Amino acid sequence: MQQPLQLPVQQPPGCGKSSLLSSSASAAGAIPKGSVVCSTVSGNPYAGLVSHLRAAWLSGKTRPLEYRVAQLEALGRFLEEKKQDILEATALDMGKPPFEAEFSEVLLCKNELNEALNNLSWWMKDKHVDKNLATQLDLAFIRKDPYGVVLIIGPWNYPIYLLLVPLIGAIAAGNCVIIKPSKLTKNSEKLMEEVLPKYLDKDCFAVVTAGVEETTRLLENKFDYIFFTGSPSVGRIIMTAAAKHLTPVTLELGGKNPCYVSDTCDVQNVARRVAWGRFFNAGQTCIAPDYVLCSVEMQEKLMPALREAITEFYGSEPRNSPDFARIVGDKQFKRVQALLSSGRVAIGGQTDEKERYIAPTVLVDVKPSDPAMQEEIFGPILLIITVANMDEAIDFINSRERPLVVYAFSSDNKEVNQVLERTSSGGFCGNDTLMHVTLTSLPFGGIGSSGLGMFHGQFTFDTFTHHRGCLQRGTGLEPINTLRYPPYSTHKMGLVRTATSVKRRGECFLL
Ligand code: NAD
């Protein structure tokens, strides 16, 4: 079989040599007339860095498989050698229990890394596609091109995982990358800023620490892709900044995740699985179950089971448990504390501002109009809303913004499937919480106000890859090609139709 032509490393249209000039040169007007500067913004404090990365990308350095593998393996060494530092930093930042930090910040990153290393050569390969009659002797394939210079902005709740998992995909796809950690988790940010760069090629990968003002300046530069994880309100700001340069974005946002619990469930199991998902990282998880929808009868049974699960997990005084995290900052503490006034506290409710501690809490008699139902909880508070039946629960879910995940618990699979089929959300998990995130084979992302785009496993690689449609034609057989050139005729039209049409299966070719 004919091998596809290995196309030389190409510069993206509009990015001539001039884009390699330093920002100061461009500011001084040293760019030759007529050339286009892709990433330099006059007087912008980050223009030099973006230019430097763009020059590295244009050099083709990040493209070979061996280079990508070497950088990914270095990232693996960072996770291995600095595991303890990660656990300490996240413990200092928000009292993240070591078990939860190792599981969510280290282990899940390693899984993503191994998935990429195991499959990268396969993911990178050109994908040959079907051809029509006119192109039978040619090569038609999808080239997996890197986007170029990409920006990854992370939140504070999983400050390592939510930067490194997109970074793994961006490196795997052959991009140069700037990552921007959250300012709120200072210790994790410092680790990213001071230690991670020691493991990676500084020409191609940079960490920028920036508050709102500096990030606004950073976003003035042209990036080829922006991957943002955070709140819907900041997501809008990111998308607006990206729109100026027509830069594509992935927005991993939040929302309120409903959890339907049917009357047929094993109550103890449900209580443990829901409590674990809600109180993991003190509820500061974008896919935590936010509110339970169940019947009054189920609420009666669920309450003692939830109390039992909480005591089983954190003891009779969760404040003293080494396995229960704290709220990340004072502002966030006050926001979550204020939500305790919704409905009635059935379990927990204790708070300690000095420690930024909020006990694992369950609120009942919550009305849809209560403040706790107007925003994402993002803290250790579980709401219970009673409904008459599954249909009412589904109507309730569908009357609100589409969530990042819908959970449904039932011992009857048909019921779980009903909830799956009749609702819409970023992801779905039946009879458990959070566990869908452990599969690198599943896409992860939101829909509507919970986000745009997806990642995990090959989906992260594809997110940071431009799927470039390529047709490589032979240079001979010109007499056949003349059939599509003027002067046109009905006869030529018939031949062109036959040679290029896509037919319905079973339809025969008619001239
Ligand atoms: P955030 O939106 O406040 O901040 C996210 C990032 O944006 C941070 O790095 C921050 O420094 C930066 N930022 C903040 N304001 C900015 C501005 N005006 N201009 C430019 N950059 C700005 O979010 P957060 O509080 O860090 O994280 C919590 C939110 O993230 C929750 O809504 C949660 O649901 C969501 N989240 C979503 C996912 C997901 O995968 N979908 C994962 C984790 C968190």
Side-chain angles (χ1 to χ4, degrees):
M1 197 182 136
Q2 201 182 347
Q3 286 305 303
L5 232 119
Q6 281 305 314
L7 301 172
V9 172
Q10 300 215 335
Q11 296 185 348
C15 294
K17 267 192 179 152
S18 55
S19 68
L20 305 185
L21 293 178
S22 71
S23 54
S24 54
S26 76
I31 311 285
K33 226 180 161 188
S35 59
V36 180
V37 182
C38 285
S39 56
T40 48
V41 177
S42 262
N44 186 286
Y46 300 101
L49 173 66
V50 177
S51 275
H52 182 77
L53 261 58
R54 186 167 298 283
W57 183 67
L58 289 171
S59 75
K61 190 179 185 183
T62 57
R63 289 194 178 230
L65 171 66
E66 298 70 29
Y67 177 87
R68 303 183 199 192
V69 168
Q71 295 302 309
L72 291 173
E73 284 176 344
L75 202 50
R77 283 197 297 283
F78 167 77
L79 285 169
E80 202 63 58
E81 291 165 11
K82 299 299 168 193
K83 183 176 105 180
Q84 208 47 42
D85 302 58
I86 292 172
L87 303 195
E88 279 166 24
T90 51
L92 285 169
D93 283 332
M94 58 175 93
K96 198 173 279 220
F99 182 96
E100 292 186 0
E102 180 160 355
F103 177 47
S104 61
E105 308 278 11
V106 181
L107 185 66
L108 292 183
C109 284
K110 277 193 190 165
N111 292 348
E112 292 284 343
L113 195 64
N114 289 339
E115 179 77 9
L117 285 166
N118 288 343
N119 295 291
L120 187 52
S121 60
W122 163 246
W123 293 346
M124 282 172 66
K125 274 205 168 66
D126 288 342
K127 183 171 176 250
H128 289 263
V129 296
D130 289 346
K131 291 172 284 188
N132 55 27
L133 208 55
T135 53
Q136 272 310 304
L137 301 176
D138 306 320
L139 287 167
F141 56 93
I142 301 166
R143 171 64 49 96
K144 312 290 182 66
D145 259 356
Y147 267 103
V149 180
V150 307
L151 173 65
I152 296 170
I153 299 179
W156 51 263
N157 61 334
Y158 292 94
I160 310 296
Y161 170 83
L162 286 168
L163 283 175
L164 294 197
V165 172
L167 178 64
I168 289 164
I171 293 175
N175 297 281
C176 287
V177 191
I178 291 179
I179 62 173
K180 199 224 70 81
S182 169
K183 274 246 152 276
L184 266 175
T185 33
K186 295 228 161 308
N187 298 282
S188 304
E189 181 193 46
K190 192 161 175 244
L191 192 64
M192 291 285 108
E193 182 191 17
E194 292 178 4
V195 184
L196 181 67
K198 292 184 182 149
Y199 286 80
L200 297 174
D201 178 354
K202 288 187 186 58
D203 281 342
C204 300
F205 309 106
V207 179
V208 165
T209 56
V212 171
E213 219 169 283
E214 297 110 311
T215 311
T216 306
R217 297 306 311 274
L218 180 63
L219 285 163
E220 287 170 6
N221 292 279
K222 179 183 165 72
F223 290 95
D224 301 304
Y225 202 95
I226 300 177
F227 188 105
F228 169 81
T229 307
S231 57
S233 56
V234 179
R236 282 188 189 92
I237 295 171
I238 303 295
M239 205 167 179
T240 306
K244 270 199 175 150
H245 297 288
L246 294 178
T247 296
V249 291
T250 289
L251 301 176
E252 293 288 342
L253 311 177
K256 292 181 80 65
N257 304 309
C259 177
Y260 170 66
V261 177
S262 122
D263 285 343
T264 67
C265 294
D266 173 333
V267 184
Q268 261 70 33
N269 277 1
V270 176
R272 273 196 296 270
R273 292 177 189 198
V274 171
W276 180 70
R278 175 70 278 187
F279 302 123
F280 192 96
N281 202 29
Q284 300 162 111
T285 304
C286 57
I287 48 168
D290 195 286
Y291 60 93
V292 164
L293 292 165
C294 66
S295 67
V296 176
E297 295 75 35
M298 177 43 78
Q299 178 179 294
E300 293 287 297
K301 291 192 229 162
L302 206 49
M303 218 43 69
L306 280 168
R307 204 169 281 119
E308 200 180 310
I310 291 169
T311 311
E312 196 183 306
F313 292 174
Y314 310 112
S316 53
E317 186 44 84
R319 184 198 305 251
N320 301 329
S321 168
D323 299 328
F324 187 68
R326 295 296 183 264
I327 304 297
V328 72
D330 295 336
K331 199 173 124 207
Q332 289 69 19
F333 173 85
K334 287 205 171 76
R335 187 192 63 77
V336 180
Q337 188 185 36
L339 300 179
L340 290 170
S341 62
S342 297
R344 176 171 62 83
V345 174
I347 301 173
Q350 303 82 358
T351 64
D352 181 343
E353 188 165 357
K354 216 165 85 221
E355 269 192 50
R356 298 197 305 272
Y357 166 77
I358 296 179
T361 297
V362 180
L363 300 180
V364 292
D365 302 337
V366 179
K367 290 190 288 302
S369 55
D370 283 341
M373 281 307 289
Q374 305 311 311
E375 59 185 275
E376 184 181 8
I377 300 278
F378 226 56
I381 303 174
L382 180 69
L383 314 178
I384 308 222
I385 294 183
T386 54
V387 286
N389 50 38
M390 186 184 67
D391 288 339
E392 198 178 310
I394 289 172
D395 287 346
F396 189 89
I397 295 168
N398 289 338
S399 68
R400 308 178 71 88
E401 293 286 2
R402 285 186 280 180
L404 196 50
V405 54
V406 164
Y407 294 113
F409 284 83
S410 172
S411 54
D412 179 356
N413 276 344
K414 279 201 205 103
E415 253 193 322
V416 174
N417 276 324
Q418 282 268 325
V419 180
L420 170 60
E421 284 201 4
R422 292 168 55 194
T423 59
S424 170
S425 59
F428 179 86
C429 182
N431 290 320
D432 211 336
T433 62
L434 312 192
M435 288 303 288
H436 59 300
V437 86
T438 63
L439 291 180
T440 54
S441 48
L442 285 179
F444 181 93
I447 182 170
S449 68
S450 60
L452 174 72
M454 54 193 167
F455 73 135
H456 288 188
Q458 188 173 359
F459 300 100
T460 323
F461 173 86
D462 284 338
T463 284
F464 287 106
T465 295
H466 169 59
H467 291 72
R468 192 177 187 186
C470 302
L471 176 66
Q472 183 67 37
R473 300 218 68 196
T475 51
L477 302 178
E478 194 55 7
I480 295 178
N481 281 295
T482 56
L483 295 175
R484 66 186 150 103
Y485 302 149
Y488 300 131
S489 68
T490 316
H491 176 65
K492 279 185 172 181
M493 185 67 240
L495 292 169
V496 165
R497 196 181 298 130
T498 303
T500 60
S501 291
V502 176
K503 302 283 178 200
R504 284 292 301 275
R505 222 164 266 136
E507 203 181 341
C508 56
F509 282 103
L510 288 176
L511 286 185

